[in-house]
């Protein structure tokens, strides 16, 4: 949610910050702004709308500066407007802020009594005045420390002061912040892609840490002022990986990157010859796996669907009981998790607030935590006992695609490892299961060849008022994911159901206008899916079947049909997902929607 970028160095800072803001657009926003040092002091330019609107205003101003901060805002306190956009100013203090200040009303009342005048509806302006109230003749970092002692909430901050040109102060608590180190230039941002063209050497700030950027370098301390030695990590992503590469949208690019992404997730992590998974990649050992009594999976959104698929795999292949929770529900109930249990936190960004809170609660109760995560050095990865990086590369489109497939294949690896360690899978079966993984990237490539047919199919359905998606067993979460993608990208209402639940309510919706997307693989429940298709047909519904090639006869009883390669039931579910992504994409494009940045959505939900 929201994006922060700051720069101090030898370049045109405003140009660097504007470029960085564009690279953070995927996080979702409704307004934007920059602040920079000039001959007049610190100047602030901001507006409601897109980065291009901000850039058109900046072009008319004298913005030669070596230090600047910028922000894209997604409204929490106060409507989208220029007044509520960041940066905010109080005297000579200017800040940008991600997060929520929970006690802002009490602070605002006290500051108003002191004579501070409020020009916005935001909690951020309250924090800015509070820092100014503590400033006096102190260094800006000291004023920030003192102000934050009075604050409750979540925040990532970048702060500058007219009295200290060239200095940027950053702080994080429950909201991501990373510093970048270049040659005589330094960066601060919510996410690495913001400054990736200039630096791949980064420091990930931990909870309640402060960073001070000046021309002399980067200094990290605790909020109490104690020095912190930070490890510098090198990011392997290239700048081009975060660019469209000739595709019309990031979402389409990332869908077509899935063969490569899944291949990168799997590379070097298992051996078909021995039928074993490299547990070192998970940070686990065979002895640890043997001791696991129960697994809890927590996630949000698309990652929750990956967690549901993981449940089917783990329980079937390893016979270990698995509970799957939406993270925001897990954190507020009294979960029966304890020592000997394993929590798996599934998260693309590693910064999702509810997922982080859930994994912290699990650790407090004595369980171990495994993070399945895409972003190296993210908070989830750093705080977990074990971490498995999916290595899918930067995912810019808000609607997750390649991250989902790599999360599911990661869970498949874990399920095989558990099954082998627990003695439920023998060497022959393990070799068979892992052998299918070798073929998966190529089969995803073949599934993508249906793109042209799906574009044509979308032309028949993009005006539909609603969709139903149905599947059985592991294909039920795939139905949920297909419905979510359509909702996110096209704003068409869609619901996913277990096919066996149709007679328990959803069948009342079926008429001649309703498309029903049916997922069919050649598993033990194939005949029951045929019955489900006939029930829809008998009521005039429009059946769109996504099926494996081995059961292509279902096309004869379907209005439309898309086929994907065969695999085992677990990986067939992965392949069935690909056409659903493409269908949602093409329908969204035909409806004129912004498929990379859907309305009201953010890539990483870092506040409740």
């Amino acid at each position: 949610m929201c994006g922060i970028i700051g720069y101090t160095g030898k370049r045109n800072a405003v140009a660097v910050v504007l470029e960085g803001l564009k690279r953070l657009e995927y996080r979702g926003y409704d307004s934007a702004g920059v602040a920079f040092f000039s001959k007049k002091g610190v100047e602030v330019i901001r507006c409601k709308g897109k980065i291009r609107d901000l850039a058109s205003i900046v072009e008319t101003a004298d913005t030669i500066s070596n230090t600047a901060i910028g922000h894209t805002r997604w409204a929490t306190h106060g409507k989208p407007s220029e007044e509520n956009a960041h940066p905010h100013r109080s005297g000579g203090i200017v800040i940008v802020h991600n997060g929520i200040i929970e006690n802002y009303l009490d602070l605002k009342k006290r500051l108003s009594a002191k004579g501070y005048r409020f020009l916005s509806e935001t909690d951020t302006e309250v924090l800015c005045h509070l820092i100014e109230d503590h400033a006096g003749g102190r260094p800006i970092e000291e004023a920030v420390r003192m102000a934050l002692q009075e604050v409750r909430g979540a925040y990532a901050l970048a702060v500058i002061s007219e009295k200290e040109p060239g200095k940027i102060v950053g702080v994080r608590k429950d909201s991501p912040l990373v510093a970048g180190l270049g040659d005589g230039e330094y960066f601060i941002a919510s996410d690495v892609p913001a400054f990736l063209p200039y630096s791949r050497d980064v420091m990930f700030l931990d909870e309640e840490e402060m960073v001070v950027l000046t021309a002399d370098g980067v200094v990290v301390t605790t909020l109490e002022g104690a020095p912190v030695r930070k490890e510098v990590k090198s990011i392997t992503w290239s700048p081009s990986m975060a660019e469209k590469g000739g595709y019309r949208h990031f979402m389409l690019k990332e869908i077509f990157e899935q063969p490569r992404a899944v291949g990168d997730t799997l590379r070097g992590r298992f051996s078909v010859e021995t039928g074993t998974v490299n547990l070192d990649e998970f940070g686990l050992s065979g002895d640890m796996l043997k001791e696991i009594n129960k697994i809890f999976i927590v996630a949000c959104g698309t990652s929750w669907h990956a967690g549901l698929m993981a449940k089917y795999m783990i329980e079937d292949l390893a016979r270990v009981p698995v509970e799957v929770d939406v993270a925001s529900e897990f954190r507020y109930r009294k979960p029966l998790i304890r020592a000997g249990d394993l929590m798996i936190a599934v998260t693309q960004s590693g910064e999702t607030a509810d997922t982080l809170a859930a994994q912290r609660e699990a650790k407090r109760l004595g369980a171990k935590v495994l993070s399945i995560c895409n972003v190296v050095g993210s908070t989830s990865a750093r705080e977990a006992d074990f971490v498995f990086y999916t290595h899918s590369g930067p995912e810019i489109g808000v609607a997750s695609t390649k991250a989902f497939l790599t999360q599911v294949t990661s869970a498949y690896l874990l399920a095989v490892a558990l099954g082998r360690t627990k003695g439920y899978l023998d060497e022959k079966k393990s070799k068979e299961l892992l052998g299918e993984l070798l073929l998966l990237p190529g089969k995803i490539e073949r599934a993508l060849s249906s793109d042209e047919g799906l574009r044509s199919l979308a032309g028949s359905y993009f005006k539909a008022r609603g969709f139903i998606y149905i599947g059985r067993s592991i294909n039920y979460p795939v139905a949920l994911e297909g419905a979510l993608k359509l909702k996110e990208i096209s704003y068409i209402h869609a619901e996913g159901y277990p096919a066996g639940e149709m007679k328990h309510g959803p069948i009342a919706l079926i008429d001649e206008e309703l498309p029903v997307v049916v997922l069919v693989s050649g598993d033990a429940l194939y005949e029951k899916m045929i019955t489900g298709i006939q029930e829809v047909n008998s009521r005039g519904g429009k059946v769109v079947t996504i099926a494996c090639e081995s059961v292509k006869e279902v096309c004869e009883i379907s209005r439309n049909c898309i086929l994907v390669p065969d695999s085992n039931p677990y990986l067939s579910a992965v392949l069935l997902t690909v056409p659903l992504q493409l269908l949602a994409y093409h329908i969204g494009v035909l409806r004129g929607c912004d498929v990379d940045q859907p309305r009201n959505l953010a890539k990483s939900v870092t506040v409740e």
Side-chain angles (χ1 to χ4, degrees):
M1 264 188 202
C2 312
I4 288 174
I5 173 72
Y7 171 81
T8 187
K10 303 171 185 176
R11 304 177 194 267
N12 179 339
V14 175
V16 172
V17 165
L18 283 175
E19 182 182 350
L21 290 178
K22 290 177 183 177
R23 291 176 177 273
L24 293 174
E25 282 189 303
Y26 68 92
R27 298 174 68 89
Y29 70 106
D30 50 50
S31 58
V34 295
F36 55 94
F37 289 91
S38 72
K39 295 176 182 178
K40 304 175 185 177
V42 173
E43 292 193 48
V44 174
I45 300 175
R46 55 191 185 171
C47 70
K48 176 184 173 182
K50 296 293 187 179
I51 304 299
R52 61 177 176 268
D53 302 316
L54 177 66
S56 65
I57 301 171
V58 167
E59 285 177 0
T60 64
D62 181 7
T63 58
I64 301 302
S65 175
N66 296 123
T67 302
I69 58 175
H71 189 266
T72 52
R73 176 182 186 258
W74 196 75
T76 52
H77 288 83
K79 63 188 177 185
S81 66
E82 181 178 340
E83 292 77 17
N84 290 331
H86 297 212
H88 286 280
R89 176 199 290 274
S90 180
I93 307 296
V94 178
I95 75 170
V96 293
H97 162 230
N98 291 348
I100 295 175
I101 306 303
E102 295 173 358
N103 60 332
Y104 83 102
L105 287 174
D106 291 339
L107 294 171
K108 185 173 184 177
K109 184 176 180 180
R110 198 183 79 208
L111 290 165
S112 295
K114 286 188 170 186
Y116 286 95
R117 183 170 170 235
F118 291 86
L119 304 176
S120 77
E121 304 168 271
T122 69
D123 55 341
T124 301
E125 188 184 10
V126 175
L127 180 55
C128 191
H129 286 315
L130 187 62
I131 295 170
E132 169 71 11
D133 195 53
H134 285 287
R138 299 183 181 92
I140 183 59
E141 58 266 36
E142 291 301 320
V144 172
R145 283 194 181 99
M146 294 175 70
L148 291 178
Q149 289 176 7
E150 303 181 47
V151 166
R152 295 194 313 273
Y155 46 79
L157 305 175
V159 188
I160 58 177
S161 169
E162 282 187 338
K163 295 179 180 178
E164 298 177 79
K167 178 188 284 188
I168 302 174
V169 175
V171 187
R172 78 151 287 175
K173 181 180 182 293
D174 296 326
S175 194
L177 204 60
V178 57
L181 287 66
D183 182 11
E185 57 184 1
Y186 304 97
F187 307 81
I188 191 170
S190 301
D191 204 354
V192 172
F195 54 75
L196 199 56
Y198 307 107
S199 173
R200 296 193 197 178
D201 294 329
V202 304
M203 291 178 178
F204 292 96
L205 294 191
D206 287 309
E207 287 298 281
E208 299 188 4
E209 287 185 345
M210 171 180 284
V211 62
V212 179
L213 284 62
T214 65
D216 297 324
V218 173
V219 176
V220 181
T221 65
T222 65
L223 268 183
E224 288 71 37
V228 176
R229 295 190 65 180
K230 299 294 291 184
E231 178 184 1
V232 177
K233 295 181 179 290
S234 182
I235 299 299
T236 57
W237 301 344
S238 67
S240 63
M241 291 178 73
E243 295 172 355
K244 291 181 183 176
Y247 287 91
R248 183 177 177 185
H249 298 99
F250 280 113
M251 183 181 177
L252 187 62
K253 171 179 179 279
E254 288 155 7
I255 289 172
F256 275 86
E257 283 178 339
Q258 288 177 127
R260 189 273 310 159
V262 169
D264 287 349
T265 296
L266 300 174
R267 189 169 293 114
R269 288 171 157 177
F270 66 96
S271 168
V272 175
E273 291 183 5
T274 61
T276 57
V277 175
N278 182 359
L279 292 177
D280 290 342
E281 289 288 332
F282 286 91
L284 294 163
S285 68
D287 289 340
M288 291 176 185
L289 289 182
K290 287 179 182 178
E291 294 173 0
I292 294 172
N293 300 315
K294 187 174 182 179
I295 293 174
F296 291 76
I297 299 176
V298 296
C300 300
T302 285
S303 295
W304 179 63
H305 298 154
L308 290 171
M309 295 174 73
K311 173 183 172 70
Y312 283 96
M313 294 176 184
I314 293 170
E315 290 190 340
D316 197 18
L317 298 177
R319 308 309 293 164
V320 176
V322 179
E323 284 191 23
V324 186
D325 271 272
V326 174
S328 57
E329 291 297 315
F330 181 93
R331 67 182 291 193
Y332 288 117
R333 67 183 178 89
K334 297 178 181 177
L336 298 175
I337 187 170
R338 54 180 66 89
D341 296 336
L342 175 70
M343 169 178 278
I344 303 175
V346 186
T347 166
Q348 190 283 137
S349 68
E351 302 294 349
T352 306
D354 288 317
T355 304
L356 290 175
Q359 74 176 66
R360 288 164 184 162
E361 177 66 5
K363 293 192 74 170
R364 187 186 71 81
L365 293 171
K368 297 294 186 181
V369 175
L370 164 67
S371 173
I372 294 179
C373 182
N374 186 39
V375 179
V376 175
S378 63
T379 303
S380 178
R382 295 198 307 273
E383 294 186 3
D385 299 289
F386 320 109
V387 60
F388 186 91
Y389 287 117
T390 55
H391 295 317
S392 61
E395 189 176 67
I396 306 302
V398 168
S400 182
T401 52
K402 65 178 179 176
F404 175 69
L405 259 60
T406 58
Q407 288 167 349
V408 175
T409 49
S410 301
Y412 182 92
L413 277 177
L414 180 61
V416 174
L418 268 169
R420 187 74 192 274
T421 302
K422 294 277 190 179
Y424 192 73
L425 297 177
D426 59 21
E427 182 177 339
K428 180 182 177 182
K429 183 62 174 177
S430 297
K431 288 181 178 180
E432 178 186 321
L433 290 165
L434 294 174
E436 282 291 330
L437 274 182
L438 286 179
L439 304 175
L440 185 60
K443 290 182 177 181
I444 295 172
E445 194 81 55
R446 285 173 56 195
L448 288 167
S449 67
S450 64
D451 180 53
E452 194 62 42
L454 286 160
R455 183 184 292 113
S456 175
L457 189 64
S460 300
Y461 292 106
F462 76 99
K463 293 182 180 179
R465 290 178 294 175
F467 274 71
I468 287 179
Y469 290 68
I470 59 173
R472 279 185 179 265
S473 186
I474 196 170
N475 292 334
Y476 162 51
V478 178
L480 291 174
E481 174 61 12
L484 177 63
K485 282 292 154 289
L486 190 70
K487 283 184 279 195
E488 289 178 310
I489 299 307
S490 71
Y491 317 142
I492 295 174
H493 181 73
E495 294 295 337
Y497 289 100
E501 282 290 293
M502 284 297 288
K503 289 182 178 178
H504 295 270
I507 201 166
L509 297 173
I510 296 176
D511 59 20
E512 294 80 4
E513 300 299 320
L514 183 73
V516 180
V517 180
V518 184
L519 305 171
V520 185
S521 57
D523 60 13
L525 296 174
Y526 165 68
E527 291 181 354
K528 293 187 180 297
M529 289 304 303
I530 296 296
T531 300
I533 291 174
Q534 297 289 23
E535 288 178 345
V536 176
N537 281 335
S538 66
R539 288 158 179 82
K542 300 176 179 179
V543 175
V544 179
T545 299
I546 313 295
C548 293
E549 291 172 344
S550 61
V551 292
K552 61 184 179 182
E553 62 269 19
V554 299
C555 296
E556 297 174 9
I557 57 172
S558 306
R559 180 170 299 199
N560 304 101
C561 194
I562 299 291
L563 298 177
V564 301
D566 289 303
S567 188
N568 64 40
Y570 319 105
L571 298 183
S572 290
V574 172
L575 295 166
L576 291 171
T577 302
V578 175
L580 301 182
Q581 297 170 339
L582 289 167
L583 181 62
Y585 169 79
H586 288 303
I587 288 177
V589 170
L590 286 172
R591 289 171 66 90
C593 301
D594 187 343
V595 296
D596 281 340
Q597 298 170 48
R599 67 188 184 202
N600 303 330
L601 295 179
K603 182 65 177 173
S604 179
V605 183
T606 57
V607 296
E608 285 192 75

